[in-house]
Amino acid sequence: MSFVNEYVSDEDAEKYDLDNLWNKYNYTAMIKMPELLDHFDVHQHDWCVDKERDYWLFNCGFLTSENSRSGYPESSNKEVFILHINDQNIEFILAHHGMEATDLYPIHFSYNLVSMSPSSLPNMSRESLLNILKDAINIFKYNGIRALEENAKTLIEFDF
């Protein structure tokens, strides 16, 4: 089996503490999880999961930047993903850069690796982790199961 986009069961959301993972990176949001789920069409978290290997990718959203023109925190181009492998969370911060759109792919962007923690696991190299991340993001695309139509029009490149 490979990665697929799914809504997360309530049991898995609680087991992996997804509310607190999301809140950790979206600390300036006026509404926190789980209350924020009430504002989504489907009131569940979503992820990209490989159930056979027990791996998942969870998008925690964009980090905020304190260095904005307005003087108030604003979204940055840095996006946080948590990749769960072998019962361990690996935090990836990726810089998101828009690229030239085409007729086939009107949504086209590239990711650069800003940081990765930890950078390897006891039985898995950094390179292997990055390849798994790329596989998962290529399925997650634009916004996972919440944006299937947009995902079909999305091309992602990696600069790492």
Side-chain angles (χ1 to χ4, degrees), residues 3 50 53-56 83-90 92 116-135:
F3 283 99
D50 181 333
R53 297 186 293 178
D54 195 28
Y55 296 172
W56 50 260
L83 182 64
H84 182 86
I85 294 179
N86 300 339
D87 294 320
Q88 182 155 350
N89 290 347
I90 299 106
F92 291 91
M116 170 182 181
S117 179
S119 60
S120 65
L121 295 179
N123 295 321
M124 197 169 291
S125 69
R126 180 178 193 270
E127 184 178 331
S128 294
L129 292 172
L130 290 172
N131 286 332
I132 294 168
L133 174 71
K134 290 175 185 178
D135 289 344

Side-chain angles (χ1 to χ4, degrees), residues 144-159:
I145 198 164
R146 296 189 198 281
L148 296 177
E149 198 172 303
E150 290 86 352
N151 289 347
K153 303 173 191 172
T154 300
L155 177 63
I156 300 173
E157 296 183 27
F158 300 96
D159 195 14

Side-chain angles (χ1 to χ4, degrees), residues 98-124:
M99 302 194 56
E100 186 175 336
T102 66
D103 290 340
L104 187 57
Y105 295 110
I107 302 170
H108 184 194
F109 57 91
S110 174
Y111 281 121
N112 296 68
L113 180 65
V114 174
S115 69
M116 170 182 181
S117 179
S119 60
S120 65
L121 295 179
N123 295 321
M124 197 169 291

Side-chain angles (χ1 to χ4, degrees), residues 4 13-14 44 48 60 65-66 69 79 82 84 113 133-134 145 152 157:
V4 295
E14 186 174 324
Q44 292 175 271
C48 190
C60 295
S65 172
E66 299 295 326
R69 289 184 233 189
E79 200 166 356
I82 303 298
H84 182 86
L113 180 65
L133 174 71
K134 290 175 185 178
I145 198 164
E157 296 183 27

Side-chain angles (χ1 to χ4, degrees), residues 7-19:
Y7 289 106
V8 182
S9 70
D10 292 339
E11 295 79 22
D12 281 341
E14 186 174 324
K15 176 181 176 180
Y16 296 113
D17 200 18
L18 297 184
D19 286 347

Side-chain angles (χ1 to χ4, degrees), residues 62-74:
F62 288 91
L63 294 174
T64 55
S65 172
E66 299 295 326
N67 300 326
S68 67
R69 289 184 233 189
S70 68
Y72 296 100
E74 295 177 0

